[in-house]
Amino acid sequence: MDLIGEIGVKLAQTGQKTKKMANNLVDTAKLNTQAAELSKELKEAYFQLGKQYYEMHGEEPEERLKPLCVQVKGILTMSEKVRQELNLIRNVLVCPSCGHENIADAKFCAQCSAQLPQMPKRVEQSGIVFCPNCGNKLSQGKHFCPKCGTKLD
């Protein structure tokens, strides 16, 4: 075989190897994507399983699951307190019947017309005052909120 023929054979072999490597890379990327999607689905299934277990048995869990159920209950309690505090800052009343957000001085829900509880007052914490309109943290002695312009008492 002459030199040009040998070069042609080598180029063809190299091309085939390169094509095989490229196909392997594509297959690897597809399988990695599929594995990641399956992992995500599995995490969601575990989450749903745990959530359903907690909803069904959270008050009386199996002994070995008690610590997790106590942890979930604590997190849910803290989460509710944070949501309530955010609603106070945002000056929003959430309807206990339908979950719709209403203005703070509303007596009835704008979504379902259920009677709303009275908006609780925000407690001052160690001299910190918050704007009743936008929830902005204020310095003592201010007469207007610098963020929204609301007149302060």
Side-chain angles (χ1 to χ4, degrees):
M1 198 183 278
D2 65 346
L3 181 60
I4 294 180
E6 287 180 27
I7 292 174
V9 168
K10 291 281 187 189
L11 284 174
Q13 289 173 346
T14 303
Q16 288 174 350
K17 287 180 185 178
T18 303
K19 180 180 176 185
K20 185 176 180 181
M21 287 173 55
N23 286 339
N24 285 346
L25 284 173
V26 168
D27 290 343
T28 300
K30 285 179 183 177
L31 289 171
N32 281 335
T33 300
Q34 187 178 11
E37 288 173 2
L38 288 169
S39 178
K40 185 178 175 183
E41 286 179 34
L42 183 60
K43 284 180 185 179
E44 178 62 23
Y46 278 140
F47 170 78
Q48 292 299 327
L49 176 65
K51 184 178 179 186
Q52 287 181 17
Y53 178 89
Y54 181 79
E55 289 170 353
M56 293 169 63
H57 307 286
E59 295 300 318
E60 296 177 15
E62 293 180 28
E63 193 60 36
R64 63 187 172 153
L65 296 177
K66 253 185 190 173
L68 286 173
C69 287
V70 168
Q71 182 182 8
V72 167
K73 188 172 188 171
I75 293 169
L76 288 172
T77 301
M78 288 302 297
S79 180
E80 181 58 28
K81 287 180 182 179
V82 168
R83 268 194 298 278
Q84 288 173 355
E85 188 69 17
L86 282 170
N87 289 339
L88 284 172
I89 290 171
R90 293 173 46 229
N91 216 19
V92 168
L93 256 178
V94 176
C95 177
S97 296
C98 72
H100 181 75
E101 292 184 351
N102 296 276
I103 59 174
D105 58 351
K107 303 286 185 229
F108 297 92
C109 177
Q111 185 72 30
C112 72
S113 76
Q115 189 169 2
L116 297 171
Q118 193 174 14
M119 179 80 162
K121 298 293 179 198
R122 185 171 172 92
V123 178
E124 292 184 23
Q125 299 171 345
S126 60
I128 300 172
V129 181
F130 297 88
C131 173
N133 183 48
C134 70
N136 186 38
K137 190 173 170 182
L138 304 169
S139 304
Q140 290 289 346
K142 299 287 182 189
H143 298 288
F144 293 91
C145 175
K147 185 174 181 182
C148 71
T150 298
K151 184 174 180 171
L152 306 171
D153 294 333

